[in-house]
Amino acid sequence: MKTINPLPDLNFLKECFVIDPLATSGLRWVSKRPLNHFKNSANWRTWHTKFADKSCGYLSLQKYFRLILNNIKYPVHRIIFAIHNNTTDFLDKQIDHIDGNTLNNSAGNLRLASASQNQFNRKRQRNNATGHKNISFIKKSNRYRCAIRVDGKDIFVGLFDTIEEAVIKRDSKTKELMGEFSRI
């Protein structure tokens, strides 16, 4: 898993950014950053000419908005969560997009999640042959196997004759294990 850079100080973030639902990424640069953020006044003037009060961030290959601040890349959704919730103390947690849309960085769509909870809220992978998360077809037995991974451990749910049975059991077990974080 990719290492996530710790966010700068919360006050520094607030001096740099404003949450803006109309901005493409959900975040824009402030209209005037303090001079002490820059090496010299020439850099300060250049920054204000190019970036002040504009939408910030770029779309990464992984379909997340990211931005570069002081030569370090940060996910925009982490900055929005930090500013909205007035804390940067969540390094051991991930920020989950509740609706599963990584482009929707509205503050109400972001929540703290463990790595396991965040994985539960993922969409089905494209290479999934059965069309259902956590369900695979076992050719030898001509049955459907359901197993759910939680905190790095597989929880075996069962083998089923039909995909419908497997889906019902999977849905029930997923809700039991992950509650609001389950995406079926």
PDB file of all heavy atoms in Angstrom, residues 105-132:
ATOM      1  N   ASN A 105     -15.817  15.058  -3.359  1.00  0.00           N
ATOM      2  CA  ASN A 105     -15.091  15.418  -2.146  1.00  0.00           C
ATOM      3  C   ASN A 105     -15.873  16.345  -1.229  1.00  0.00           C
ATOM      4  O   ASN A 105     -15.282  17.048  -0.413  1.00  0.00           O
ATOM      5  CB  ASN A 105     -13.756  16.081  -2.520  1.00  0.00           C
ATOM      6  CG  ASN A 105     -12.754  15.083  -3.038  1.00  0.00           C
ATOM      7  OD1 ASN A 105     -12.800  13.911  -2.690  1.00  0.00           O
ATOM      8  ND2 ASN A 105     -11.862  15.531  -3.891  1.00  0.00           N
ATOM      9  N   SER A 106     -17.194  16.351  -1.335  1.00  0.00           N
ATOM     10  CA  SER A 106     -17.970  17.194  -0.427  1.00  0.00           C
ATOM     11  C   SER A 106     -17.759  16.692   1.003  1.00  0.00           C
ATOM     12  O   SER A 106     -17.652  15.488   1.246  1.00  0.00           O
ATOM     13  CB  SER A 106     -19.452  17.188  -0.793  1.00  0.00           C
ATOM     14  OG  SER A 106     -19.989  15.900  -0.649  1.00  0.00           O
ATOM     15  N   ALA A 107     -17.670  17.621   1.932  1.00  0.00           N
ATOM     16  CA  ALA A 107     -17.358  17.277   3.320  1.00  0.00           C
ATOM     17  C   ALA A 107     -18.329  16.239   3.894  1.00  0.00           C
ATOM     18  O   ALA A 107     -17.934  15.354   4.652  1.00  0.00           O
ATOM     19  CB  ALA A 107     -17.349  18.536   4.182  1.00  0.00           C
ATOM     20  N   GLY A 108     -19.592  16.305   3.512  1.00  0.00           N
ATOM     21  CA  GLY A 108     -20.583  15.349   4.003  1.00  0.00           C
ATOM     22  C   GLY A 108     -20.430  13.950   3.426  1.00  0.00           C
ATOM     23  O   GLY A 108     -21.057  13.012   3.906  1.00  0.00           O
ATOM     24  N   ASN A 109     -19.602  13.808   2.407  1.00  0.00           N
ATOM     25  CA  ASN A 109     -19.380  12.504   1.780  1.00  0.00           C
ATOM     26  C   ASN A 109     -18.099  11.837   2.280  1.00  0.00           C
ATOM     27  O   ASN A 109     -17.745  10.765   1.820  1.00  0.00           O
ATOM     28  CB  ASN A 109     -19.316  12.663   0.251  1.00  0.00           C
ATOM     29  CG  ASN A 109     -19.294  11.337  -0.459  1.00  0.00           C
ATOM     30  OD1 ASN A 109     -20.067  10.440  -0.159  1.00  0.00           O
ATOM     31  ND2 ASN A 109     -18.382  11.194  -1.406  1.00  0.00           N
ATOM     32  N   LEU A 110     -17.412  12.455   3.224  1.00  0.00           N
ATOM     33  CA  LEU A 110     -16.138  11.933   3.714  1.00  0.00           C
ATOM     34  C   LEU A 110     -16.263  11.513   5.170  1.00  0.00           C
ATOM     35  O   LEU A 110     -16.886  12.211   5.971  1.00  0.00           O
ATOM     36  CB  LEU A 110     -15.045  13.000   3.569  1.00  0.00           C
ATOM     37  CG  LEU A 110     -14.842  13.555   2.159  1.00  0.00           C
ATOM     38  CD1 LEU A 110     -13.839  14.697   2.185  1.00  0.00           C
ATOM     39  CD2 LEU A 110     -14.397  12.456   1.201  1.00  0.00           C
ATOM     40  N   ARG A 111     -15.650  10.368   5.504  1.00  0.00           N
ATOM     41  CA  ARG A 111     -15.662   9.893   6.889  1.00  0.00           C
ATOM     42  C   ARG A 111     -14.378   9.119   7.158  1.00  0.00           C
ATOM     43  O   ARG A 111     -13.746   8.593   6.242  1.00  0.00           O
ATOM     44  CB  ARG A 111     -16.872   8.998   7.153  1.00  0.00           C
ATOM     45  CG  ARG A 111     -16.861   7.725   6.327  1.00  0.00           C
ATOM     46  CD  ARG A 111     -18.088   6.876   6.544  1.00  0.00           C
ATOM     47  NE  ARG A 111     -18.143   5.803   5.542  1.00  0.00           N
ATOM     48  CZ  ARG A 111     -19.173   5.037   5.331  1.00  0.00           C
ATOM     49  NH1 ARG A 111     -20.259   5.187   6.058  1.00  0.00           N
ATOM     50  NH2 ARG A 111     -19.147   4.101   4.403  1.00  0.00           N
ATOM     51  N   LEU A 112     -14.028   9.035   8.427  1.00  0.00           N
ATOM     52  CA  LEU A 112     -12.863   8.243   8.826  1.00  0.00           C
ATOM     53  C   LEU A 112     -13.211   6.768   8.754  1.00  0.00           C
ATOM     54  O   LEU A 112     -14.333   6.358   9.083  1.00  0.00           O
ATOM     55  CB  LEU A 112     -12.458   8.573  10.266  1.00  0.00           C
ATOM     56  CG  LEU A 112     -11.670   9.841  10.483  1.00  0.00           C
ATOM     57  CD1 LEU A 112     -11.385  10.043  11.968  1.00  0.00           C
ATOM     58  CD2 LEU A 112     -10.361   9.820   9.710  1.00  0.00           C
ATOM     59  N   ALA A 113     -12.236   5.973   8.339  1.00  0.00           N
ATOM     60  CA  ALA A 113     -12.448   4.527   8.252  1.00  0.00           C
ATOM     61  C   ALA A 113     -11.126   3.814   8.466  1.00  0.00           C
ATOM     62  O   ALA A 113     -10.064   4.333   8.121  1.00  0.00           O
ATOM     63  CB  ALA A 113     -13.015   4.170   6.879  1.00  0.00           C
ATOM     64  N   SER A 114     -11.208   2.626   9.021  1.00  0.00           N
ATOM     65  CA  SER A 114     -10.021   1.780   9.072  1.00  0.00           C
ATOM     66  C   SER A 114      -9.773   1.275   7.656  1.00  0.00           C
ATOM     67  O   SER A 114     -10.646   1.386   6.785  1.00  0.00           O
ATOM     68  CB  SER A 114     -10.247   0.597  10.024  1.00  0.00           C
ATOM     69  OG  SER A 114     -11.203  -0.288   9.468  1.00  0.00           O
ATOM     70  N   ALA A 115      -8.607   0.699   7.417  1.00  0.00           N
ATOM     71  CA  ALA A 115      -8.303   0.161   6.087  1.00  0.00           C
ATOM     72  C   ALA A 115      -9.326  -0.908   5.708  1.00  0.00           C
ATOM     73  O   ALA A 115      -9.798  -0.963   4.570  1.00  0.00           O
ATOM     74  CB  ALA A 115      -6.889  -0.411   6.059  1.00  0.00           C
ATOM     75  N   SER A 116      -9.699  -1.733   6.653  1.00  0.00           N
ATOM     76  CA  SER A 116     -10.664  -2.797   6.396  1.00  0.00           C
ATOM     77  C   SER A 116     -12.038  -2.229   6.061  1.00  0.00           C
ATOM     78  O   SER A 116     -12.698  -2.679   5.123  1.00  0.00           O
ATOM     79  CB  SER A 116     -10.751  -3.713   7.617  1.00  0.00           C
ATOM     80  OG  SER A 116     -11.454  -4.883   7.317  1.00  0.00           O
ATOM     81  N   GLN A 117     -12.477  -1.234   6.818  1.00  0.00           N
ATOM     82  CA  GLN A 117     -13.774  -0.605   6.540  1.00  0.00           C
ATOM     83  C   GLN A 117     -13.769   0.045   5.165  1.00  0.00           C
ATOM     84  O   GLN A 117     -14.743  -0.061   4.421  1.00  0.00           O
ATOM     85  CB  GLN A 117     -14.084   0.444   7.610  1.00  0.00           C
ATOM     86  CG  GLN A 117     -14.411  -0.125   8.957  1.00  0.00           C
ATOM     87  CD  GLN A 117     -14.469   0.938  10.032  1.00  0.00           C
ATOM     88  OE1 GLN A 117     -13.725   1.921  10.003  1.00  0.00           O
ATOM     89  NE2 GLN A 117     -15.356   0.745  10.997  1.00  0.00           N
ATOM     90  N   ASN A 118     -12.682   0.695   4.822  1.00  0.00           N
ATOM     91  CA  ASN A 118     -12.588   1.360   3.529  1.00  0.00           C
ATOM     92  C   ASN A 118     -12.649   0.344   2.392  1.00  0.00           C
ATOM     93  O   ASN A 118     -13.267   0.594   1.359  1.00  0.00           O
ATOM     94  CB  ASN A 118     -11.298   2.186   3.450  1.00  0.00           C
ATOM     95  CG  ASN A 118     -11.371   3.280   2.419  1.00  0.00           C
ATOM     96  OD1 ASN A 118     -12.404   3.557   1.842  1.00  0.00           O
ATOM     97  ND2 ASN A 118     -10.250   3.916   2.181  1.00  0.00           N
ATOM     98  N   GLN A 119     -12.042  -0.818   2.571  1.00  0.00           N
ATOM     99  CA  GLN A 119     -12.089  -1.863   1.548  1.00  0.00           C
ATOM    100  C   GLN A 119     -13.509  -2.393   1.356  1.00  0.00           C
ATOM    101  O   GLN A 119     -13.901  -2.743   0.254  1.00  0.00           O
ATOM    102  CB  GLN A 119     -11.143  -3.016   1.901  1.00  0.00           C
ATOM    103  CG  GLN A 119      -9.684  -2.650   1.780  1.00  0.00           C
ATOM    104  CD  GLN A 119      -9.324  -2.219   0.380  1.00  0.00           C
ATOM    105  OE1 GLN A 119      -9.650  -2.877  -0.590  1.00  0.00           O
ATOM    106  NE2 GLN A 119      -8.679  -1.077   0.262  1.00  0.00           N
ATOM    107  N   PHE A 120     -14.266  -2.430   2.433  1.00  0.00           N
ATOM    108  CA  PHE A 120     -15.642  -2.913   2.329  1.00  0.00           C
ATOM    109  C   PHE A 120     -16.499  -1.979   1.490  1.00  0.00           C
ATOM    110  O   PHE A 120     -17.471  -2.396   0.880  1.00  0.00           O
ATOM    111  CB  PHE A 120     -16.278  -3.077   3.710  1.00  0.00           C
ATOM    112  CG  PHE A 120     -16.217  -4.474   4.210  1.00  0.00           C
ATOM    113  CD1 PHE A 120     -15.132  -4.906   4.936  1.00  0.00           C
ATOM    114  CD2 PHE A 120     -17.219  -5.365   3.922  1.00  0.00           C
ATOM    115  CE1 PHE A 120     -15.066  -6.202   5.378  1.00  0.00           C
ATOM    116  CE2 PHE A 120     -17.166  -6.670   4.358  1.00  0.00           C
ATOM    117  CZ  PHE A 120     -16.079  -7.092   5.094  1.00  0.00           C
ATOM    118  N   ASN A 121     -16.130  -0.717   1.465  1.00  0.00           N
ATOM    119  CA  ASN A 121     -16.918   0.258   0.717  1.00  0.00           C
ATOM    120  C   ASN A 121     -16.455   0.377  -0.740  1.00  0.00           C
ATOM    121  O   ASN A 121     -16.914   1.234  -1.465  1.00  0.00           O
ATOM    122  CB  ASN A 121     -16.849   1.627   1.410  1.00  0.00           C
ATOM    123  CG  ASN A 121     -17.953   2.550   0.952  1.00  0.00           C
ATOM    124  OD1 ASN A 121     -19.007   2.113   0.501  1.00  0.00           O
ATOM    125  ND2 ASN A 121     -17.711   3.834   1.034  1.00  0.00           N
ATOM    126  N   ARG A 122     -15.545  -0.486  -1.167  1.00  0.00           N
ATOM    127  CA  ARG A 122     -15.077  -0.468  -2.556  1.00  0.00           C
ATOM    128  C   ARG A 122     -16.124  -1.061  -3.483  1.00  0.00           C
ATOM    129  O   ARG A 122     -16.934  -1.895  -3.095  1.00  0.00           O
ATOM    130  CB  ARG A 122     -13.803  -1.311  -2.704  1.00  0.00           C
ATOM    131  CG  ARG A 122     -12.591  -0.661  -2.139  1.00  0.00           C
ATOM    132  CD  ARG A 122     -11.389  -1.514  -2.308  1.00  0.00           C
ATOM    133  NE  ARG A 122     -11.123  -1.751  -3.726  1.00  0.00           N
ATOM    134  CZ  ARG A 122     -10.209  -2.589  -4.169  1.00  0.00           C
ATOM    135  NH1 ARG A 122      -9.492  -3.291  -3.337  1.00  0.00           N
ATOM    136  NH2 ARG A 122     -10.016  -2.739  -5.463  1.00  0.00           N
ATOM    137  N   LYS A 123     -16.015  -0.647  -4.732  1.00  0.00           N
ATOM    138  CA  LYS A 123     -16.880  -1.237  -5.751  1.00  0.00           C
ATOM    139  C   LYS A 123     -16.332  -2.598  -6.151  1.00  0.00           C
ATOM    140  O   LYS A 123     -15.184  -2.921  -5.867  1.00  0.00           O
ATOM    141  CB  LYS A 123     -16.936  -0.323  -6.980  1.00  0.00           C
ATOM    142  CG  LYS A 123     -17.575   1.014  -6.698  1.00  0.00           C
ATOM    143  CD  LYS A 123     -17.515   1.900  -7.904  1.00  0.00           C
ATOM    144  CE  LYS A 123     -18.108   3.265  -7.558  1.00  0.00           C
ATOM    145  NZ  LYS A 123     -17.870   4.238  -8.588  1.00  0.00           N
ATOM    146  N   ARG A 124     -17.138  -3.375  -6.832  1.00  0.00           N
ATOM    147  CA  ARG A 124     -16.712  -4.669  -7.349  1.00  0.00           C
ATOM    148  C   ARG A 124     -15.595  -4.459  -8.363  1.00  0.00           C
ATOM    149  O   ARG A 124     -15.652  -3.550  -9.189  1.00  0.00           O
ATOM    150  CB  ARG A 124     -17.912  -5.368  -8.011  1.00  0.00           C
ATOM    151  CG  ARG A 124     -17.599  -6.679  -8.663  1.00  0.00           C
ATOM    152  CD  ARG A 124     -18.840  -7.288  -9.296  1.00  0.00           C
ATOM    153  NE  ARG A 124     -19.544  -6.409 -10.212  1.00  0.00           N
ATOM    154  CZ  ARG A 124     -19.247  -6.272 -11.503  1.00  0.00           C
ATOM    155  NH1 ARG A 124     -18.259  -6.939 -12.041  1.00  0.00           N
ATOM    156  NH2 ARG A 124     -19.951  -5.457 -12.260  1.00  0.00           N
ATOM    157  N   GLN A 125     -14.576  -5.309  -8.302  1.00  0.00           N
ATOM    158  CA  GLN A 125     -13.470  -5.204  -9.245  1.00  0.00           C
ATOM    159  C   GLN A 125     -13.900  -5.621 -10.643  1.00  0.00           C
ATOM    160  O   GLN A 125     -14.775  -6.468 -10.813  1.00  0.00           O
ATOM    161  CB  GLN A 125     -12.302  -6.077  -8.776  1.00  0.00           C
ATOM    162  CG  GLN A 125     -11.623  -5.532  -7.538  1.00  0.00           C
ATOM    163  CD  GLN A 125     -10.424  -6.373  -7.144  1.00  0.00           C
ATOM    164  OE1 GLN A 125     -10.375  -6.837  -6.032  1.00  0.00           O
ATOM    165  NE2 GLN A 125      -9.481  -6.563  -8.055  1.00  0.00           N
ATOM    166  N   ARG A 126     -13.263  -5.024 -11.646  1.00  0.00           N
ATOM    167  CA  ARG A 126     -13.614  -5.300 -13.040  1.00  0.00           C
ATOM    168  C   ARG A 126     -13.354  -6.751 -13.437  1.00  0.00           C
ATOM    169  O   ARG A 126     -14.034  -7.290 -14.287  1.00  0.00           O
ATOM    170  CB  ARG A 126     -12.824  -4.390 -13.973  1.00  0.00           C
ATOM    171  CG  ARG A 126     -13.435  -3.025 -14.087  1.00  0.00           C
ATOM    172  CD  ARG A 126     -12.683  -2.239 -15.116  1.00  0.00           C
ATOM    173  NE  ARG A 126     -12.082  -1.110 -14.405  1.00  0.00           N
ATOM    174  CZ  ARG A 126     -11.104  -0.383 -14.846  1.00  0.00           C
ATOM    175  NH1 ARG A 126     -10.559  -0.636 -15.997  1.00  0.00           N
ATOM    176  NH2 ARG A 126     -10.652   0.613 -14.145  1.00  0.00           N
ATOM    177  N   ASN A 127     -12.357  -7.371 -12.828  1.00  0.00           N
ATOM    178  CA  ASN A 127     -12.015  -8.744 -13.202  1.00  0.00           C
ATOM    179  C   ASN A 127     -12.812  -9.793 -12.429  1.00  0.00           C
ATOM    180  O   ASN A 127     -12.521 -10.980 -12.489  1.00  0.00           O
ATOM    181  CB  ASN A 127     -10.514  -8.992 -13.016  1.00  0.00           C
ATOM    182  CG  ASN A 127     -10.081  -8.915 -11.564  1.00  0.00           C
ATOM    183  OD1 ASN A 127     -10.844  -8.509 -10.691  1.00  0.00           O
ATOM    184  ND2 ASN A 127      -8.841  -9.277 -11.298  1.00  0.00           N
ATOM    185  N   ASN A 128     -13.836  -9.390 -11.732  1.00  0.00           N
ATOM    186  CA  ASN A 128     -14.667 -10.308 -10.963  1.00  0.00           C
ATOM    187  C   ASN A 128     -15.538 -11.126 -11.919  1.00  0.00           C
ATOM    188  O   ASN A 128     -16.382 -10.581 -12.629  1.00  0.00           O
ATOM    189  CB  ASN A 128     -15.535  -9.497  -9.991  1.00  0.00           C
ATOM    190  CG  ASN A 128     -16.403 -10.362  -9.135  1.00  0.00           C
ATOM    191  OD1 ASN A 128     -17.162 -11.176  -9.633  1.00  0.00           O
ATOM    192  ND2 ASN A 128     -16.313 -10.174  -7.837  1.00  0.00           N
ATOM    193  N   ALA A 129     -15.331 -12.427 -11.929  1.00  0.00           N
ATOM    194  CA  ALA A 129     -16.014 -13.298 -12.891  1.00  0.00           C
ATOM    195  C   ALA A 129     -17.484 -13.559 -12.544  1.00  0.00           C
ATOM    196  O   ALA A 129     -18.299 -13.795 -13.437  1.00  0.00           O
ATOM    197  CB  ALA A 129     -15.264 -14.622 -13.012  1.00  0.00           C
ATOM    198  N   THR A 130     -17.841 -13.513 -11.261  1.00  0.00           N
ATOM    199  CA  THR A 130     -19.227 -13.826 -10.882  1.00  0.00           C
ATOM    200  C   THR A 130     -20.136 -12.609 -10.937  1.00  0.00           C
ATOM    201  O   THR A 130     -21.357 -12.750 -10.927  1.00  0.00           O
ATOM    202  CB  THR A 130     -19.292 -14.400  -9.448  1.00  0.00           C
ATOM    203  OG1 THR A 130     -18.882 -13.385  -8.518  1.00  0.00           O
ATOM    204  CG2 THR A 130     -18.450 -15.653  -9.310  1.00  0.00           C
ATOM    205  N   GLY A 131     -19.541 -11.429 -10.951  1.00  0.00           N
ATOM    206  CA  GLY A 131     -20.343 -10.215 -10.926  1.00  0.00           C
ATOM    207  C   GLY A 131     -20.734  -9.797  -9.514  1.00  0.00           C
ATOM    208  O   GLY A 131     -21.508  -8.868  -9.332  1.00  0.00           O
ATOM    209  N   HIS A 132     -20.190 -10.483  -8.500  1.00  0.00           N
ATOM    210  CA  HIS A 132     -20.519 -10.191  -7.105  1.00  0.00           C
ATOM    211  C   HIS A 132     -19.250 -10.167  -6.269  1.00  0.00           C
ATOM    212  O   HIS A 132     -18.417 -11.076  -6.372  1.00  0.00           O
ATOM    213  CB  HIS A 132     -21.486 -11.237  -6.542  1.00  0.00           C
ATOM    214  CG  HIS A 132     -22.788 -11.285  -7.256  1.00  0.00           C
ATOM    215  ND1 HIS A 132     -23.818 -10.426  -6.966  1.00  0.00           N
ATOM    216  CD2 HIS A 132     -23.220 -12.070  -8.269  1.00  0.00           C
ATOM    217  CE1 HIS A 132     -24.838 -10.700  -7.773  1.00  0.00           C
ATOM    218  NE2 HIS A 132     -24.502 -11.682  -8.573  1.00  0.00           N
TER     219      HIS A 132
END
